[in-house]
Amino acid sequence: MTSSVVPFGKPRGERADAARNREHLLRTAREMLAEHGAERVTMDGLAERAGLGKGTVFRRFGSRAGIFRALLDADERRFQEQVMSGPPPLGPGAGPVERLVAYGRARIAFLVDHHAVARAALDRAQPVPAGDASVTQLHLGILLRQATSLPHLNGLAIQLTAALEGPLLLYLSRPEAEEALATETVELLGDAWETLIERLAR
Amino acid sequence: MTSSVVPFGKPRGERADAARNREHLLRTAREMLAEHGAERVTMDGLAERAGLGKGTVFRRFGSRAGIFRALLDADERRFQEQVMSGPPPLGPGAGPVERLVAYGRARIAFLVDHHAVARAALDRAQPVPAGDASVTQLHLGILLRQATSLPHLNGLAIQLTAALEGPLLLYLSRPEAEEALATETVELLGDAWETLIERLAR
């Protein structure tokens, strides 16, 4: 597997000027996000700061949530690229147990880091964020198959995906639980994940 | 622990006539549900069939989703009562590993059986069903402490709760995935859960 399957944020077939606009808008949105937080990123504000028409922003993202989905999508690609071809143990080259543990810890950190963006990416019409859990499920399934001779691996891959991503996805729609996303929670979940994987693999 | 902590569907302090109305309404809603499915249960239809005023139904449930939340809540109590004081291995009297496996299989069946009711209980304002996952988490934590000497049990209880309930909660807001709730899925998840628990406990 190589890093060149899909160039980041540049879907195949996109015209060059459209791709440049897209990159420019995403970069501008990231700046606004870093400076003012997710609440202050709006369609109008983004268009103004990017020096592009509101129509361009609207056609590109469809809605305010669409901006955040695009940001999340670009970062997801980068994350999955690290998994597919980055350095071990997250990337190839380490043993499957070590990679399972590394994936879990990296994924927990990713979901926590992207918490504000992921919440802003939620549409009311799409109550539960589908996320890229299917990628996690696929990856966990492959590594579990290498690391263990457990029966019922398909079911286990589903359940371990939920174990890893579920606790963090739930925070997306429950702002009152946000304080639980402290560093201790990240370590708590990372340590528990490592225990889970080591027990399954031995 | 006894079965008399909270009489089903009759919150402490409810006046006798209000409790009778409530019981009558829930029974009527269940009949309508069994005969016509969740889509056909409405506030007006329920009031008419129960022979009570629309105002009474509204005050009792607040919204159509509230009817289903009340049904789900009553069944949750019954389920948890089986866990606390029903026959083993779901109830007390079996070893902790056997109880963990039994809880998981029973919980999967419960969530699948209550799928239509739980989906109808979703309010748009409450995107992710909180459910009674906290009860599952508490119960799994207690049994894991009895069954194992694993480190990081608090984190593990969170993750195993997500592993057990997450895959089924996700179906609530994704009608297109409903066909996956076939008998095979229930067995797949139940078998995987058993594998998970046995590995953690040995």
Side-chain angles (χ1 to χ4, degrees), chain A residues 97-174:
Chain A
V97 175
E98 207 187 337
R99 288 194 75 198
L100 281 164
V101 171
Y103 185 88
R105 289 196 183 271
R107 192 69 189 160
I108 289 167
F110 179 90
L111 292 173
V112 169
D113 287 346
H114 287 77
H115 172 244
V117 171
R119 192 158 77 203
L122 282 181
D123 260 338
R124 285 193 165 271
Q126 299 178 313
V128 174
D132 261 355
S134 57
V135 179
T136 292
Q137 192 174 316
L138 192 67
H139 188 62
L140 294 182
I142 290 168
L143 291 178
L144 281 168
R145 213 156 255 117
Q146 292 172 9
T148 76
S149 56
L150 288 168
H152 310 302
L153 272 185
N154 289 340
L156 278 170
I158 293 171
Q159 286 170 337
L160 290 176
T161 299
L164 184 57
E165 310 213 334
L168 296 158
L169 292 183
L170 275 182
Y171 290 117
L172 294 182
S173 53
R174 293 205 223 151

Side-chain angles (χ1 to χ4, degrees), chain A residues 108 124-125 127-130 149-152 154-156 158-160 162-164 166-167 170 173-174 188-193 195-196 199-202, chain B residues 108 124-125 127-130 149-152 154-156 158-160 162-164 166-167 170 173-174 188-193 195-196 199-202:
Chain A
I108 289 167
R124 285 193 165 271
V128 174
S149 56
L150 288 168
H152 310 302
N154 289 340
L156 278 170
I158 293 171
Q159 286 170 337
L160 290 176
L164 184 57
L170 275 182
S173 53
R174 293 205 223 151
L188 178 92
L189 292 176
D191 291 344
W193 176 258
T195 303
L196 198 52
R199 285 291 168 137
L200 283 176
R202 81 182 192 183
Chain B
I108 289 166
R124 286 196 163 269
V128 173
S149 56
L150 289 169
H152 311 302
N154 290 339
L156 278 170
I158 293 171
Q159 286 170 338
L160 290 176
L164 184 57
L170 276 182
S173 52
R174 292 206 223 152
L188 178 91
L189 292 175
D191 290 345
W193 176 257
T195 303
L196 198 51
R199 284 291 168 137
L200 284 175
R202 81 181 191 184

Side-chain angles (χ1 to χ4, degrees), chain B residues 49-116:
Chain B
R49 176 145 170 177
L52 291 168
K54 279 172 63 174
T56 305
V57 176
F58 186 83
R59 273 192 305 279
R60 172 54 69 190
F61 299 118
S63 68
R64 183 174 173 273
I67 301 172
F68 293 98
R69 271 200 301 278
L71 288 174
L72 197 57
D73 190 52
D75 287 355
E76 275 283 3
R77 284 165 190 247
R78 213 158 297 177
F79 179 81
Q80 297 302 339
E81 210 256 339
Q82 290 294 309
V83 173
M84 287 196 292
S85 55
L90 184 57
V97 175
E98 206 186 337
R99 289 194 73 196
L100 281 165
V101 171
Y103 186 87
R105 289 197 184 270
R107 192 69 189 159
I108 289 166
F110 179 89
L111 292 172
V112 169
D113 287 346
H114 287 77
H115 172 245

Side-chain angles (χ1 to χ4, degrees), chain A residues 10-86:
Chain A
K10 198 183 186 182
R12 213 187 286 275
E14 197 173 37
R15 277 175 46 199
D17 55 345
R20 264 196 307 275
N21 269 355
R22 181 191 167 81
E23 279 308 313
H24 176 55
L25 282 168
L26 287 181
R27 201 165 43 239
T28 308
R30 274 188 214 288
E31 288 166 13
M32 295 175 75
L33 191 64
E35 288 167 23
H36 309 296
E39 296 88 52
R40 303 284 290 279
V41 178
T42 62
M43 300 280 270
D44 287 357
L46 177 57
E48 194 184 321
R49 176 144 172 178
L52 290 169
K54 281 173 62 174
T56 304
V57 177
F58 186 83
R59 273 193 305 279
R60 173 53 70 189
F61 300 117
S63 68
R64 182 174 173 274
I67 301 173
F68 294 98
R69 272 199 301 278
L71 287 174
L72 197 57
D73 190 51
D75 287 356
E76 274 283 2
R77 282 165 191 246
R78 212 157 298 176
F79 179 82
Q80 297 303 338
E81 210 258 337
Q82 289 297 307
V83 173
M84 287 195 292
S85 55

